[in-house]
Amino acid sequence: MYDHYSGALYGIVLRIVQSKEYAEEVIQDVFVKIWNSIHQYDASKGRFYTWIINIARNTAIDYLKSKGFQNELKNQPLPDFVYNTTELSTVNNSVDYIGFNNVLENLEVDKQELINLSYYQGYTQHEISEKLKIPLGTVKTKMRNALMKLKDLLKDYQ
């Protein structure tokens, strides 16, 4: 299972935590969670891949919000703490071997932004609402529409 899914899950986690060191920590936790909760997977509710992606995404978001991580950030020297966009974009392009960015490019710009904020940067819908200064209900509706459109686009790629 690790050999088959680790690359894709690592890419998702890395886009959220934005650090190779932290991503390696989180990916280990992800596989432990998958192993310990495999009995909860229900094939009638969705694909296995979707289930483990959600575990990876949620684990990465939980890690970012953990007190230990927040304290660690406060203790980082300034150069390590500053967001480096060139390094991140190189990493993002190298982990996108499944071509998901090509699929996302077919979405409208506002839908791409919602998917990016939610799934790659780990924002909650409430945080997206505050960041974009739009009502929470609008975020929920637009996110649902974006995911439905994305689902249709992914069907075309299969």
Side-chain angles (χ1 to χ4, degrees):
M1 183 174 68
Y2 181 85
D3 291 340
H4 191 69
Y5 294 111
S6 63
L9 296 179
Y10 181 79
I12 291 165
V13 168
L14 185 60
R15 287 188 94 166
I16 294 171
V17 299
Q18 301 178 354
S19 164
K20 290 180 182 180
E21 179 184 327
Y22 298 141
E24 290 168 1
E25 259 182 69
V26 172
I27 203 71
Q28 182 178 359
D29 291 343
V30 167
F31 278 98
V32 169
K33 284 184 180 182
I34 292 169
W35 180 263
N36 289 334
S37 60
I38 193 72
H39 65 280
Q40 294 176 348
Y41 170 66
D42 184 357
S44 67
K45 292 183 179 178
R47 296 174 47 200
F48 180 71
Y49 183 68
T50 306
W51 184 70
I52 63 173
I53 283 177
N54 283 324
I55 290 174
R57 179 182 170 275
N58 292 339
T59 303
I61 291 168
D62 290 346
Y63 183 78
L64 289 179
K65 292 180 179 181
S66 71
K67 285 186 180 182
F69 178 77
Q70 293 300 319
N71 288 336
E72 210 171 299
L73 281 182
K74 290 176 186 175
N75 295 327
Q76 292 286 328
L78 188 57
D80 294 340
F81 183 70
V82 175
Y83 183 78
N84 184 346
T85 57
T86 56
E87 180 183 320
L88 182 60
S89 64
T90 304
V91 170
N92 286 346
N93 290 335
S94 68
V95 296
D96 186 39
Y97 66 90
I98 60 173
F100 194 68
N101 284 339
N102 295 336
V103 177
L104 279 179
E105 289 173 359
N106 292 317
L107 287 176
E108 292 86 8
V109 175
D110 63 328
K111 291 178 180 172
Q112 286 180 27
E113 182 179 29
L114 288 173
I115 298 290
N116 184 37
L117 288 171
S118 178
Y119 288 91
Y120 292 130
Q121 295 182 32
Y123 283 79
T124 64
Q125 289 181 340
H126 183 72
E127 292 168 337
I128 293 170
S129 170
E130 290 175 352
K131 181 175 178 62
L132 300 179
K133 296 179 176 35
I134 56 177
L136 180 60
T138 304
V139 171
K140 290 181 179 190
T141 301
K142 285 186 173 189
M143 181 65 76
R144 184 175 190 284
N145 291 339
L147 292 174
M148 288 172 44
K149 177 71 174 171
L150 188 59
K151 180 180 176 183
D152 290 340
L153 289 171
L154 287 170
K155 285 181 184 176
D156 294 340
Y157 278 86
Q158 290 180 347

